mmCIF file of all heavy atoms in Angstrom:
data_model
loop_
_atom_site.group_PDB
_atom_site.id
_atom_site.type_symbol
_atom_site.label_atom_id
_atom_site.label_comp_id
_atom_site.label_asym_id
_atom_site.label_seq_id
_atom_site.Cartn_x
_atom_site.Cartn_y
_atom_site.Cartn_z
ATOM 1 N N PHE B 21 24.537 -4.346 191.994
ATOM 2 C CA PHE B 21 24.328 -4.260 193.438
ATOM 3 C C PHE B 21 24.304 -2.793 193.841
ATOM 4 O O PHE B 21 24.843 -1.939 193.136
ATOM 5 C CB PHE B 21 25.476 -4.918 194.206
ATOM 6 C CG PHE B 21 25.505 -6.413 194.114
ATOM 7 C CD1 PHE B 21 26.470 -7.048 193.345
ATOM 8 C CD2 PHE B 21 24.606 -7.180 194.822
ATOM 9 C CE1 PHE B 21 26.525 -8.427 193.278
ATOM 10 C CE2 PHE B 21 24.651 -8.560 194.760
ATOM 11 C CZ PHE B 21 25.603 -9.183 193.985
ATOM 12 N N THR B 22 23.683 -2.520 194.979
ATOM 13 C CA THR B 22 23.811 -1.189 195.553
ATOM 14 C C THR B 22 24.734 -1.317 196.764
ATOM 15 O O THR B 22 24.455 -2.094 197.666
ATOM 16 C CB THR B 22 22.443 -0.657 196.005
ATOM 17 O OG1 THR B 22 21.519 -0.927 194.961
ATOM 18 C CG2 THR B 22 22.503 0.832 196.266
ATOM 19 N N SER B 23 25.834 -0.573 196.726
ATOM 20 C CA SER B 23 26.767 -0.716 197.836
ATOM 21 C C SER B 23 26.251 0.058 199.042
ATOM 22 O O SER B 23 25.265 0.778 198.960
ATOM 23 C CB SER B 23 28.148 -0.207 197.419
ATOM 24 O OG SER B 23 28.069 1.153 197.101
ATOM 25 N N VAL B 29 26.956 -0.839 191.939
ATOM 26 C CA VAL B 29 28.122 -1.643 191.572
ATOM 27 C C VAL B 29 27.701 -2.586 190.457
ATOM 28 O O VAL B 29 26.855 -3.451 190.652
ATOM 29 C CB VAL B 29 28.627 -2.476 192.771
ATOM 30 C CG1 VAL B 29 29.858 -3.287 192.379
ATOM 31 C CG2 VAL B 29 28.921 -1.585 193.960
ATOM 32 N N ALA B 31 28.089 -5.507 188.864
ATOM 33 C CA ALA B 31 28.802 -6.771 189.078
ATOM 34 C C ALA B 31 28.873 -7.570 187.782
ATOM 35 O O ALA B 31 29.904 -8.149 187.458
ATOM 36 C CB ALA B 31 28.126 -7.573 190.175
ATOM 37 N N PRO B 50 40.282 -10.782 187.511
ATOM 38 C CA PRO B 50 40.732 -10.006 188.666
ATOM 39 C C PRO B 50 39.660 -9.979 189.752
ATOM 40 O O PRO B 50 38.502 -10.272 189.497
ATOM 41 C CB PRO B 50 40.947 -8.606 188.090
ATOM 42 C CG PRO B 50 40.115 -8.552 186.860
ATOM 43 C CD PRO B 50 40.073 -9.946 186.327
ATOM 44 N N SER B 51 40.074 -9.612 190.945
ATOM 45 C CA SER B 51 39.158 -9.568 192.075
ATOM 46 C C SER B 51 38.016 -8.594 191.790
ATOM 47 O O SER B 51 38.230 -7.518 191.243
ATOM 48 C CB SER B 51 39.933 -9.131 193.308
ATOM 49 O OG SER B 51 39.159 -9.360 194.438
ATOM 50 N N GLY B 52 36.795 -9.004 192.103
ATOM 51 C CA GLY B 52 35.646 -8.114 191.938
ATOM 52 C C GLY B 52 35.017 -8.135 190.563
ATOM 53 O O GLY B 52 34.171 -7.304 190.258
ATOM 54 N N CYS B 53 35.417 -9.077 189.686
ATOM 55 C CA CYS B 53 34.856 -9.090 188.340
ATOM 56 C C CYS B 53 33.553 -9.881 188.264
ATOM 57 O O CYS B 53 32.962 -10.004 187.198
ATOM 58 C CB CYS B 53 35.862 -9.639 187.332
ATOM 59 S SG CYS B 53 36.197 -11.389 187.530
ATOM 60 N N GLY B 54 33.103 -10.415 189.393
ATOM 61 C CA GLY B 54 31.786 -11.050 189.401
ATOM 62 C C GLY B 54 31.810 -12.567 189.276
ATOM 63 O O GLY B 54 30.777 -13.164 188.988
ATOM 64 N N LYS B 55 32.953 -13.189 189.517
ATOM 65 C CA LYS B 55 33.043 -14.640 189.401
ATOM 66 C C LYS B 55 32.142 -15.336 190.413
ATOM 67 O O LYS B 55 31.339 -16.207 190.061
ATOM 68 C CB LYS B 55 34.497 -15.104 189.601
ATOM 69 C CG LYS B 55 35.496 -14.444 188.668
ATOM 70 C CD LYS B 55 36.907 -14.961 188.903
ATOM 71 C CE LYS B 55 37.515 -14.605 190.247
ATOM 72 N NZ LYS B 55 37.830 -13.183 190.430
ATOM 73 N N THR B 56 32.298 -14.928 191.686
ATOM 74 C CA THR B 56 31.483 -15.540 192.724
ATOM 75 C C THR B 56 30.003 -15.279 192.482
ATOM 76 O O THR B 56 29.168 -16.171 192.622
ATOM 77 C CB THR B 56 31.900 -14.990 194.103
ATOM 78 O OG1 THR B 56 33.266 -15.325 194.321
ATOM 79 C CG2 THR B 56 31.056 -15.561 195.207
ATOM 80 N N THR B 57 29.716 -14.035 192.101
ATOM 81 C CA THR B 57 28.321 -13.668 191.842
ATOM 82 C C THR B 57 27.723 -14.588 190.792
ATOM 83 O O THR B 57 26.625 -15.121 190.959
ATOM 84 C CB THR B 57 28.258 -12.209 191.368
ATOM 85 O OG1 THR B 57 28.919 -11.390 192.339
ATOM 86 C CG2 THR B 57 26.839 -11.744 191.199
ATOM 87 N N GLU B 169 36.897 -20.915 194.104
ATOM 88 C CA GLU B 169 38.256 -20.910 194.643
ATOM 89 C C GLU B 169 38.444 -21.964 195.727
ATOM 90 O O GLU B 169 38.853 -21.643 196.835
ATOM 91 C CB GLU B 169 38.599 -19.528 195.220
ATOM 92 C CG GLU B 169 38.542 -18.444 194.166
ATOM 93 C CD GLU B 169 39.035 -17.114 194.718
ATOM 94 O OE1 GLU B 169 40.068 -17.141 195.411
ATOM 95 O OE2 GLU B 169 38.400 -16.087 194.454
ATOM 96 N N HIS B 202 41.820 -17.715 190.973
ATOM 97 C CA HIS B 202 42.650 -16.543 190.744
ATOM 98 C C HIS B 202 43.925 -16.892 190.002
ATOM 99 O O HIS B 202 44.686 -16.023 189.601
ATOM 100 C CB HIS B 202 43.079 -15.945 192.091
ATOM 101 C CG HIS B 202 42.148 -14.900 192.577
ATOM 102 N ND1 HIS B 202 41.626 -14.914 193.842
ATOM 103 C CD2 HIS B 202 41.625 -13.822 191.965
ATOM 104 C CE1 HIS B 202 40.834 -13.883 193.987
ATOM 105 N NE2 HIS B 202 40.812 -13.202 192.871
HETATM 106 N N1 ATP C 14 25.776 -8.485 198.267
HETATM 107 C C1 ATP C 14 26.489 -7.520 197.634
HETATM 108 N N2 ATP C 14 26.231 -6.223 197.856
HETATM 109 C C2 ATP C 14 26.919 -5.248 197.226
HETATM 110 N N3 ATP C 14 27.924 -5.491 196.357
HETATM 111 C C3 ATP C 14 28.249 -6.769 196.114
HETATM 112 C C4 ATP C 14 27.549 -7.847 196.738
HETATM 113 N N4 ATP C 14 28.085 -9.005 196.294
HETATM 114 C C5 ATP C 14 29.073 -8.661 195.449
HETATM 115 N N5 ATP C 14 29.170 -7.314 195.321
HETATM 116 C C6 ATP C 14 30.099 -6.592 194.449
HETATM 117 O O1 ATP C 14 30.017 -7.138 193.165
HETATM 118 C C7 ATP C 14 31.304 -7.230 192.572
HETATM 119 C C8 ATP C 14 31.588 -8.652 192.173
HETATM 120 O O2 ATP C 14 31.734 -9.440 193.343
HETATM 121 P P1 ATP C 14 32.192 -10.953 193.325
HETATM 122 O O3 ATP C 14 32.254 -11.402 194.730
HETATM 123 O O4 ATP C 14 31.319 -11.713 192.404
HETATM 124 O O5 ATP C 14 33.654 -10.836 192.709
HETATM 125 P P2 ATP C 14 34.724 -11.981 192.496
HETATM 126 O O6 ATP C 14 35.085 -11.968 191.065
HETATM 127 O O7 ATP C 14 34.234 -13.257 193.073
HETATM 128 O O8 ATP C 14 35.923 -11.421 193.333
HETATM 129 P P3 ATP C 14 37.024 -12.216 194.165
HETATM 130 O O9 ATP C 14 37.978 -12.727 193.150
HETATM 131 O O10 ATP C 14 37.630 -11.175 195.025
HETATM 132 O O11 ATP C 14 36.329 -13.293 194.917
HETATM 133 C C9 ATP C 14 32.291 -6.693 193.588
HETATM 134 O O12 ATP C 14 32.599 -5.369 193.243
HETATM 135 C C10 ATP C 14 31.534 -6.740 194.883
HETATM 136 O O13 ATP C 14 31.933 -5.695 195.730
#
Side-chain angles (χ1 to χ4, degrees):
Chain B
F21 289 107
T22 315
S23 62
V29 181
S51 193
C53 69
K55 305 181 294 291
T56 299
T57 306
E169 299 186 44
H202 268 129

